[in-house]
């Protein structure tokens, strides 16, 4: 928060209020996805365990590290924008964008490998869930990359106004949600 009159600290929720409604709603939808997956896995553990072996843990780890690194970089960039040093955030946001591109490239490689091996949406319940959930998540990553590109643009301004700084916080919140969803997907599908 910022210091105001008489040493009191003004507190506020970061970002636009609407992003928190969106995040809560999105997390609830993904929570239903995760619950459905767990229920189905509990009903057919042998088939899920067998299909699980077709994923490469190393690719999941690379994607997890890429997204967690990008999340840290976005958080540092947003902090720089809030501190009044937006130009210092440009490289951080650009590096976060690069990490997001790594995620997309690894996901494309992974899906291509699975398709070439005959694994697709129709390859059983596990891969139906896998492609549906990771596909929806990939859509979130692509939206997030567009937002991070906007953060790069904002950070290049000499002095972003309060609305632009608030957008940086909102964009950071969205990107962190995308990362959190991936961590759960990683645990469900790869571990």
């Amino acid at each position: 928060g910022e210091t105001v009159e008489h040493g009191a600290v003004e507190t506020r929720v970061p970002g636009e209020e609407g992003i928190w409604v969106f995040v809560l709603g999105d997390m609830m939808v993904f929570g239903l996805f995760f619950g459905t997956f767990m229920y189905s896995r509990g009903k057919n553990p042998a088939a899920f365990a067998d299909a699980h072996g077709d994923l490469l843990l190393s690719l999941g780890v690379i994607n997890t590290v890429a997204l967690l690194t990008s999340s840290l970089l976005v958080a540092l960039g947003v902090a720089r924008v809030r501190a009044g040093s937006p130009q210092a955030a440009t490289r951080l946001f650009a590096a976060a964008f690069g990490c997001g591109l790594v995620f997309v490239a690894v996901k494309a490689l992974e899906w291509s490998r699975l398709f070439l091996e005959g694994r697709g949406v129709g390859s059983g319940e596990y891969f139906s869930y896998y492609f549906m959930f990771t596909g929806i998540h990939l859509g979130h990553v692509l939206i997030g990359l567009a937002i991070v590109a906007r953060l790069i643009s904002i950070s290049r301004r000499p002095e972003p106004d309060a609305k632009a700084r608030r957008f940086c916080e909102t964009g950071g919140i969205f990107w962190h949600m995308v990362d959190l969803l991936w961590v759960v997907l990683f645990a469900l599908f790869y571990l």
Side-chain angles (χ1 to χ4, degrees):
E2 297 177 15
T3 303
V4 292
E5 194 175 319
H6 304 294
V9 176
E10 176 188 354
T11 58
R12 67 172 183 81
V13 176
E16 300 291 335
E17 292 85 11
I19 190 65
W20 294 106
V21 174
F22 175 81
V23 166
L24 179 61
D26 213 38
M27 297 297 270
M28 287 173 52
V29 169
F30 268 89
L32 291 172
F33 289 167
F34 301 151
T36 302
F37 177 85
M38 297 295 289
Y39 175 78
S40 296
R41 184 172 71 182
K43 284 178 53 179
N44 199 354
F48 274 60
D50 184 50
H52 168 269
D54 290 338
L55 293 181
L56 294 178
L57 178 62
S58 59
L59 295 180
V61 168
I62 291 167
N63 269 343
T64 302
V65 169
L67 282 187
L68 290 176
T69 301
S70 73
S71 199
L72 173 62
L73 293 166
V74 165
L76 293 172
V78 169
R80 297 266 165 70
V81 169
R82 288 178 71 191
S85 301
Q87 295 79 17
T90 302
R91 283 190 302 274
L92 294 165
F93 291 144
F97 187 88
C99 290
L101 290 179
V102 167
F103 180 91
V104 172
V106 170
K107 188 55 56 192
L109 172 71
E110 182 174 42
W111 282 8
S112 297
R113 183 188 69 80
L114 290 168
F115 290 146
L116 289 172
E117 292 175 0
R119 296 292 191 202
V121 175
S123 300
E125 201 172 11
Y126 179 88
F127 281 105
S128 293
Y129 286 130
Y130 170 79
F131 284 109
M132 181 175 64
F133 296 168
T134 61
I136 292 169
H137 179 264
L138 182 59
H140 282 67
V141 170
L142 295 174
I143 292 167
L145 284 172
I147 291 169
V148 173
R150 181 76 177 119
L151 299 181
I152 293 167
S153 173
I154 289 170
S155 69
R156 288 182 174 156
R157 295 180 188 170
E159 291 186 35
D161 61 16
K163 183 178 177 181
R165 289 191 307 273
R166 185 82 120 177
F167 181 85
C168 287
E169 292 174 346
T170 302
I173 291 163
F174 181 85
W175 194 248
H176 298 321
M177 178 199 68
V178 169
D179 296 345
L180 177 61
L181 292 173
W182 175 254
V183 168
V184 177
L185 287 169
F186 173 71
L188 285 178
F189 287 105
Y190 294 87
L191 300 181

